[in-house]
Amino acid sequence: MGSARCVLLDLDGTLVDSQPGIAASCLAALRALGHEPGDALDIKRFIGPPLEDVLRALLATYGDDRIDEAVVAYRQHYGKSGLLGSEPYPGIGDALRAMRHAELQVYLATSKREVFARRILENLKLATYFDGIHGSVPGGELDHKPELLAHILSAYDISASHSLMVGDRSHDINGAHAVKMRGLGVLWGYRSRDELEMAGADQLVEDAADLARVVVAMLNG
């Protein structure tokens, strides 16, 4: 498959707006550890990195370092109800259909637990567009984007030069470049144009309606 054209897609902030569910589960985790965060807590700026990094930043404001306990509480809440609070961005379904029509291989590459990502895509009727769904796994070896992307490239014998990573955070762009892939930044997600430009995104796309066209053009170029 080395010469097949492949697109690897982030989930949160790229395909789906998962902020309501993530925020609810972060609040539940903090409360489970005895803290009293306000409902107005701004979670948006934390979404994207591995969960441990997100909870470490949130707990730091309380001088609390019980990250493992917070992770357990978060995943308990998220698996029960939080993951259902995800909605695809307008135009994403059409973009995925267009990528398949263009005969691209389509893979999910998310820092979210793979089991949760699969349930989200199945719940939203999007799972069938993917040749593979990949995320973090128990044990932590795929928590970070470079390791995850390297795993996907190896598992499917994908050529980095014939593939593209799409995401809304610097982690996605940096991860792509770490494995010699190009990185396409989307501007409807959780972070700014500045973050993606500073990370060296190879190109940016402003509207999901243009996503498939830009992906195909980059892979054909």
Side-chain angles (χ1 to χ4, degrees), residues 132-153:
I133 295 171
H134 296 273
S136 63
V137 295
E141 61 268 23
L142 299 179
D143 278 0
H144 297 279
K145 276 283 160 72
E147 290 79 8
L148 178 65
L149 299 184
H151 168 75
I152 295 171
L153 293 180

PDB file of all heavy atoms in Angstrom, residues 132-153:
ATOM      1  N   GLY A 132      -9.373   2.769   9.141  1.00  0.00           N
ATOM      2  CA  GLY A 132      -8.840   2.399  10.457  1.00  0.00           C
ATOM      3  C   GLY A 132      -9.101   3.511  11.451  1.00  0.00           C
ATOM      4  O   GLY A 132      -9.062   4.692  11.084  1.00  0.00           O
ATOM      5  N   ILE A 133      -9.407   3.142  12.689  1.00  0.00           N
ATOM      6  CA  ILE A 133      -9.672   4.100  13.760  1.00  0.00           C
ATOM      7  C   ILE A 133      -8.644   3.868  14.861  1.00  0.00           C
ATOM      8  O   ILE A 133      -8.590   2.780  15.441  1.00  0.00           O
ATOM      9  CB  ILE A 133     -11.107   3.927  14.308  1.00  0.00           C
ATOM     10  CG1 ILE A 133     -12.128   4.267  13.221  1.00  0.00           C
ATOM     11  CG2 ILE A 133     -11.329   4.807  15.549  1.00  0.00           C
ATOM     12  CD1 ILE A 133     -13.567   3.925  13.585  1.00  0.00           C
ATOM     13  N   HIS A 134      -7.820   4.874  15.113  1.00  0.00           N
ATOM     14  CA  HIS A 134      -6.713   4.701  16.054  1.00  0.00           C
ATOM     15  C   HIS A 134      -6.655   5.854  17.052  1.00  0.00           C
ATOM     16  O   HIS A 134      -6.870   7.010  16.698  1.00  0.00           O
ATOM     17  CB  HIS A 134      -5.390   4.601  15.294  1.00  0.00           C
ATOM     18  CG  HIS A 134      -5.315   3.399  14.420  1.00  0.00           C
ATOM     19  ND1 HIS A 134      -4.879   2.178  14.883  1.00  0.00           N
ATOM     20  CD2 HIS A 134      -5.672   3.211  13.125  1.00  0.00           C
ATOM     21  CE1 HIS A 134      -4.954   1.292  13.898  1.00  0.00           C
ATOM     22  NE2 HIS A 134      -5.433   1.900  12.826  1.00  0.00           N
ATOM     23  N   GLY A 135      -6.346   5.498  18.296  1.00  0.00           N
ATOM     24  CA  GLY A 135      -6.207   6.477  19.360  1.00  0.00           C
ATOM     25  C   GLY A 135      -5.327   5.924  20.455  1.00  0.00           C
ATOM     26  O   GLY A 135      -4.639   4.921  20.263  1.00  0.00           O
ATOM     27  N   SER A 136      -5.346   6.570  21.604  1.00  0.00           N
ATOM     28  CA  SER A 136      -4.525   6.102  22.714  1.00  0.00           C
ATOM     29  C   SER A 136      -5.089   4.792  23.255  1.00  0.00           C
ATOM     30  O   SER A 136      -6.272   4.482  23.095  1.00  0.00           O
ATOM     31  CB  SER A 136      -4.444   7.158  23.808  1.00  0.00           C
ATOM     32  OG  SER A 136      -5.728   7.411  24.358  1.00  0.00           O
ATOM     33  N   VAL A 137      -4.219   4.018  23.880  1.00  0.00           N
ATOM     34  CA  VAL A 137      -4.586   2.697  24.399  1.00  0.00           C
ATOM     35  C   VAL A 137      -4.106   2.578  25.840  1.00  0.00           C
ATOM     36  O   VAL A 137      -3.216   3.311  26.273  1.00  0.00           O
ATOM     37  CB  VAL A 137      -3.961   1.578  23.537  1.00  0.00           C
ATOM     38  CG1 VAL A 137      -4.526   1.598  22.125  1.00  0.00           C
ATOM     39  CG2 VAL A 137      -2.436   1.711  23.489  1.00  0.00           C
ATOM     40  N   PRO A 138      -4.693   1.655  26.625  1.00  0.00           N
ATOM     41  CA  PRO A 138      -4.202   1.447  27.993  1.00  0.00           C
ATOM     42  C   PRO A 138      -2.711   1.110  27.962  1.00  0.00           C
ATOM     43  O   PRO A 138      -2.251   0.336  27.127  1.00  0.00           O
ATOM     44  CB  PRO A 138      -5.037   0.262  28.481  1.00  0.00           C
ATOM     45  CG  PRO A 138      -6.291   0.325  27.670  1.00  0.00           C
ATOM     46  CD  PRO A 138      -5.860   0.814  26.311  1.00  0.00           C
ATOM     47  N   GLY A 139      -1.960   1.718  28.845  1.00  0.00           N
ATOM     48  CA  GLY A 139      -0.518   1.504  28.872  1.00  0.00           C
ATOM     49  C   GLY A 139       0.259   2.743  28.477  1.00  0.00           C
ATOM     50  O   GLY A 139       1.393   2.924  28.890  1.00  0.00           O
ATOM     51  N   GLY A 140      -0.370   3.604  27.658  1.00  0.00           N
ATOM     52  CA  GLY A 140       0.213   4.906  27.387  1.00  0.00           C
ATOM     53  C   GLY A 140       1.166   5.012  26.227  1.00  0.00           C
ATOM     54  O   GLY A 140       1.645   6.103  25.910  1.00  0.00           O
ATOM     55  N   GLU A 141       1.447   3.878  25.511  1.00  0.00           N
ATOM     56  CA  GLU A 141       2.496   3.964  24.491  1.00  0.00           C
ATOM     57  C   GLU A 141       2.076   4.754  23.247  1.00  0.00           C
ATOM     58  O   GLU A 141       2.925   5.143  22.452  1.00  0.00           O
ATOM     59  CB  GLU A 141       2.983   2.567  24.075  1.00  0.00           C
ATOM     60  CG  GLU A 141       1.927   1.661  23.475  1.00  0.00           C
ATOM     61  CD  GLU A 141       1.248   0.780  24.516  1.00  0.00           C
ATOM     62  OE1 GLU A 141       1.267   1.145  25.706  1.00  0.00           O
ATOM     63  OE2 GLU A 141       0.705  -0.264  24.134  1.00  0.00           O
ATOM     64  N   LEU A 142       0.781   5.001  23.061  1.00  0.00           N
ATOM     65  CA  LEU A 142       0.329   5.769  21.890  1.00  0.00           C
ATOM     66  C   LEU A 142      -0.331   7.081  22.295  1.00  0.00           C
ATOM     67  O   LEU A 142      -1.127   7.641  21.545  1.00  0.00           O
ATOM     68  CB  LEU A 142      -0.642   4.929  21.040  1.00  0.00           C
ATOM     69  CG  LEU A 142      -0.092   3.622  20.454  1.00  0.00           C
ATOM     70  CD1 LEU A 142      -1.172   2.904  19.658  1.00  0.00           C
ATOM     71  CD2 LEU A 142       1.137   3.884  19.588  1.00  0.00           C
ATOM     72  N   ASP A 143       0.001   7.601  23.468  1.00  0.00           N
ATOM     73  CA  ASP A 143      -0.641   8.821  23.966  1.00  0.00           C
ATOM     74  C   ASP A 143      -0.259  10.058  23.160  1.00  0.00           C
ATOM     75  O   ASP A 143      -1.031  11.010  23.083  1.00  0.00           O
ATOM     76  CB  ASP A 143      -0.262   9.064  25.431  1.00  0.00           C
ATOM     77  CG  ASP A 143      -1.112   8.248  26.386  1.00  0.00           C
ATOM     78  OD1 ASP A 143      -1.992   7.507  25.901  1.00  0.00           O
ATOM     79  OD2 ASP A 143      -0.894   8.351  27.601  1.00  0.00           O
ATOM     80  N   HIS A 144       0.943  10.050  22.572  1.00  0.00           N
ATOM     81  CA  HIS A 144       1.435  11.255  21.904  1.00  0.00           C
ATOM     82  C   HIS A 144       1.416  11.076  20.388  1.00  0.00           C
ATOM     83  O   HIS A 144       1.632   9.978  19.872  1.00  0.00           O
ATOM     84  CB  HIS A 144       2.836  11.598  22.409  1.00  0.00           C
ATOM     85  CG  HIS A 144       2.850  11.919  23.875  1.00  0.00           C
ATOM     86  ND1 HIS A 144       2.494  13.151  24.363  1.00  0.00           N
ATOM     87  CD2 HIS A 144       3.125  11.153  24.962  1.00  0.00           C
ATOM     88  CE1 HIS A 144       2.561  13.141  25.682  1.00  0.00           C
ATOM     89  NE2 HIS A 144       2.930  11.944  26.070  1.00  0.00           N
ATOM     90  N   LYS A 145       1.157  12.166  19.680  1.00  0.00           N
ATOM     91  CA  LYS A 145       0.928  12.099  18.234  1.00  0.00           C
ATOM     92  C   LYS A 145       2.086  11.478  17.440  1.00  0.00           C
ATOM     93  O   LYS A 145       1.838  10.678  16.537  1.00  0.00           O
ATOM     94  CB  LYS A 145       0.583  13.491  17.687  1.00  0.00           C
ATOM     95  CG  LYS A 145      -0.908  13.840  17.827  1.00  0.00           C
ATOM     96  CD  LYS A 145      -1.770  13.145  16.779  1.00  0.00           C
ATOM     97  CE  LYS A 145      -3.237  13.064  17.151  1.00  0.00           C
ATOM     98  NZ  LYS A 145      -3.975  14.308  17.103  1.00  0.00           N
ATOM     99  N   PRO A 146       3.361  11.800  17.706  1.00  0.00           N
ATOM    100  CA  PRO A 146       4.409  11.176  16.892  1.00  0.00           C
ATOM    101  C   PRO A 146       4.380   9.645  16.971  1.00  0.00           C
ATOM    102  O   PRO A 146       4.491   8.974  15.935  1.00  0.00           O
ATOM    103  CB  PRO A 146       5.705  11.749  17.494  1.00  0.00           C
ATOM    104  CG  PRO A 146       5.291  13.060  18.079  1.00  0.00           C
ATOM    105  CD  PRO A 146       3.912  12.827  18.622  1.00  0.00           C
ATOM    106  N   GLU A 147       4.196   9.110  18.179  1.00  0.00           N
ATOM    107  CA  GLU A 147       4.151   7.652  18.344  1.00  0.00           C
ATOM    108  C   GLU A 147       2.919   7.064  17.658  1.00  0.00           C
ATOM    109  O   GLU A 147       2.976   6.013  17.011  1.00  0.00           O
ATOM    110  CB  GLU A 147       4.144   7.272  19.821  1.00  0.00           C
ATOM    111  CG  GLU A 147       5.448   7.528  20.549  1.00  0.00           C
ATOM    112  CD  GLU A 147       5.666   8.986  20.943  1.00  0.00           C
ATOM    113  OE1 GLU A 147       4.738   9.800  20.793  1.00  0.00           O
ATOM    114  OE2 GLU A 147       6.776   9.303  21.397  1.00  0.00           O
ATOM    115  N   LEU A 148       1.783   7.753  17.801  1.00  0.00           N
ATOM    116  CA  LEU A 148       0.539   7.273  17.197  1.00  0.00           C
ATOM    117  C   LEU A 148       0.638   7.258  15.677  1.00  0.00           C
ATOM    118  O   LEU A 148       0.269   6.278  15.020  1.00  0.00           O
ATOM    119  CB  LEU A 148      -0.628   8.145  17.649  1.00  0.00           C
ATOM    120  CG  LEU A 148      -1.999   7.792  17.057  1.00  0.00           C
ATOM    121  CD1 LEU A 148      -2.447   6.408  17.514  1.00  0.00           C
ATOM    122  CD2 LEU A 148      -3.040   8.845  17.449  1.00  0.00           C
ATOM    123  N   LEU A 149       1.139   8.343  15.108  1.00  0.00           N
ATOM    124  CA  LEU A 149       1.254   8.423  13.647  1.00  0.00           C
ATOM    125  C   LEU A 149       2.250   7.395  13.112  1.00  0.00           C
ATOM    126  O   LEU A 149       2.005   6.763  12.078  1.00  0.00           O
ATOM    127  CB  LEU A 149       1.654   9.835  13.216  1.00  0.00           C
ATOM    128  CG  LEU A 149       0.662  10.945  13.591  1.00  0.00           C
ATOM    129  CD1 LEU A 149       1.129  12.284  13.026  1.00  0.00           C
ATOM    130  CD2 LEU A 149      -0.741  10.632  13.100  1.00  0.00           C
ATOM    131  N   ALA A 150       3.364   7.224  13.810  1.00  0.00           N
ATOM    132  CA  ALA A 150       4.347   6.220  13.388  1.00  0.00           C
ATOM    133  C   ALA A 150       3.729   4.821  13.416  1.00  0.00           C
ATOM    134  O   ALA A 150       3.980   3.999  12.520  1.00  0.00           O
ATOM    135  CB  ALA A 150       5.581   6.282  14.295  1.00  0.00           C
ATOM    136  N   HIS A 151       2.904   4.560  14.423  1.00  0.00           N
ATOM    137  CA  HIS A 151       2.221   3.267  14.540  1.00  0.00           C
ATOM    138  C   HIS A 151       1.285   3.034  13.353  1.00  0.00           C
ATOM    139  O   HIS A 151       1.265   1.942  12.772  1.00  0.00           O
ATOM    140  CB  HIS A 151       1.430   3.220  15.856  1.00  0.00           C
ATOM    141  CG  HIS A 151       0.480   2.068  15.951  1.00  0.00           C
ATOM    142  ND1 HIS A 151       0.902   0.777  16.192  1.00  0.00           N
ATOM    143  CD2 HIS A 151      -0.883   2.016  15.818  1.00  0.00           C
ATOM    144  CE1 HIS A 151      -0.152  -0.030  16.210  1.00  0.00           C
ATOM    145  NE2 HIS A 151      -1.238   0.694  15.989  1.00  0.00           N
ATOM    146  N   ILE A 152       0.517   4.056  12.975  1.00  0.00           N
ATOM    147  CA  ILE A 152      -0.428   3.914  11.865  1.00  0.00           C
ATOM    148  C   ILE A 152       0.316   3.721  10.542  1.00  0.00           C
ATOM    149  O   ILE A 152      -0.035   2.846   9.733  1.00  0.00           O
ATOM    150  CB  ILE A 152      -1.358   5.145  11.785  1.00  0.00           C
ATOM    151  CG1 ILE A 152      -2.238   5.222  13.050  1.00  0.00           C
ATOM    152  CG2 ILE A 152      -2.235   5.082  10.537  1.00  0.00           C
ATOM    153  CD1 ILE A 152      -3.025   6.516  13.172  1.00  0.00           C
ATOM    154  N   LEU A 153       1.358   4.509  10.309  1.00  0.00           N
ATOM    155  CA  LEU A 153       2.148   4.366   9.078  1.00  0.00           C
ATOM    156  C   LEU A 153       2.708   2.955   8.961  1.00  0.00           C
ATOM    157  O   LEU A 153       2.671   2.344   7.884  1.00  0.00           O
ATOM    158  CB  LEU A 153       3.287   5.387   9.058  1.00  0.00           C
ATOM    159  CG  LEU A 153       2.912   6.875   8.949  1.00  0.00           C
ATOM    160  CD1 LEU A 153       4.170   7.736   8.938  1.00  0.00           C
ATOM    161  CD2 LEU A 153       2.075   7.152   7.710  1.00  0.00           C
TER     162      LEU A 153
END
